[in-house]
């Protein structure tokens, strides 16, 4: 399972990268705005800065919602760095854009996916990644993890190569449940990754080992 961090915060990206288990980064316009990154040029520079920190794929989202606009923007983003994955929303022109980029060998991440039907379309269009937003489904009393299971089932039926990128992961249990279901990738905040580390018996055990070691000195 690949671990992506879902942030545009360079310090958090560095921290996750330093752990040695980071496979990539996802961002979106809201995450960019949260870091105060405004204007096309600054946004591009920020993507480049992220690519310099991590080794893996970095999703960069288009703002245009029409086919021509998405192609123009996506090609410019892809030209920034070979780690850039063009993030395209699940809308009609987005499906066309996914197909276009896939035919050009440019990696894509189909974002804002909330149903199995949308995921099926993304795979048919050749998306590299499909991003079902599990946390946002949970927020409206719908089972986000069930969507991951449905997509896994459908993709396995036909051998689709599109990777299931569980997005809108909010906490550690989402990560574990997605791993059980067989999501290919998860993207979440640093806390969802660091939460995997924690167990009180580890802390108690370590404390005891160190205390016993000290007694023998
Ligand atoms: C995915 O690529 C999105 O950036 C993200 O996971 C959205 O998560 P949120 O619902 O926590 O905003």
């Amino acid at each position: 399972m690949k671990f992506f961090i879902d942030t545009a915060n360079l310090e958090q990206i560095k921290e996750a990268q330093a752990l040695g288990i980071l496979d990539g980064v996802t961002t979106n316009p809201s995450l960019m705005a949260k870091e105060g990154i405004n204007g096309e040029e600054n946004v591009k520079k920020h993507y480049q800065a992220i690519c310099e920190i991590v080794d893996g794929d970095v999703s960069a989202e288009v703002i245009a919602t029409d086919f021509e606009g998405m192609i123009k923007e996506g090609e410019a983003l892809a030209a920034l760095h070979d780690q850039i994955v063009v993030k395209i929303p699940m809308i009609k022109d987005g499906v066309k854009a996914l197909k276009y980029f896939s035919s050009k060998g440019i990696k894509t991440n189909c974002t804002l996916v909330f149903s199995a039907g949308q995921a099926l379309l993304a795979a048919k269009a050749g998306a590299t990644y499909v991003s079902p937003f599990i946390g946002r489904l949970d927020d409206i009393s719908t089972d986000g993890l069930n969507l991951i299971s449905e997509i896994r089932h459908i993709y396995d039926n036909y051998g689709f190569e599109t990777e299931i990128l569980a997005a809108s992961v909010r906490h550690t249990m989402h990560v574990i449940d997605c791993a059980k279901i067989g999501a290919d990738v998860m993207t979440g905040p640093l806390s969802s990754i660091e939460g995997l580390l924690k167990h009180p018996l580890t802390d108690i055990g370590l404390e005891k080992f160190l205390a016993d070691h000290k007694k023998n000195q």
Side-chain angles (χ1 to χ4, degrees), residues 5-7 25-31 59 61 87 109-112 114 131-137 139 165-170 187-189:
I5 187 168
D6 196 30
T7 184
V25 177
T26 52
T27 60
N28 62 43
S30 307
L31 293 171
S59 289
E61 189 158 340
K87 206 171 178 190
N109 174 357
C110 181
T111 190
L112 291 167
F114 293 94
S131 286
F133 277 36
I134 62 174
R136 292 193 194 186
L137 282 169
D139 287 345
L165 195 176
S168 187
V169 158
R170 300 276 168 76
T187 191

Side-chain angles (χ1 to χ4, degrees), residues 11 19 30 40 42 46 49 77 79 86 92 95 104 109 129 132 155 189 203 210:
E11 289 316 306
L19 259 180
S30 307
E40 212 181 306
N42 288 336
H46 203 72
L77 288 170
V86 182
K92 202 169 183 178
V95 174
K104 299 275 172 199
N109 174 357
Y129 298 104
Y155 283 11
D203 299 338
L210 294 179

Side-chain angles (χ1 to χ4, degrees), residues 197-210:
L197 267 171
K198 294 178 190 146
H199 199 289
L201 290 179
T202 304
D203 299 338
I204 293 166
L206 184 60
E207 205 177 312
K208 174 99 171 63
F209 284 158
L210 294 179

Side-chain angles (χ1 to χ4, degrees), residues 31-52:
L31 293 171
M32 282 289 188
K34 195 173 162 194
E35 299 307 317
I37 316 293
N38 308 306
E40 212 181 306
E41 283 317 304
N42 288 336
V43 168
K44 283 183 178 170
K45 276 188 203 147
H46 203 72
Y47 284 136
Q48 280 168 323
I50 295 174
C51 289
E52 272 153 36

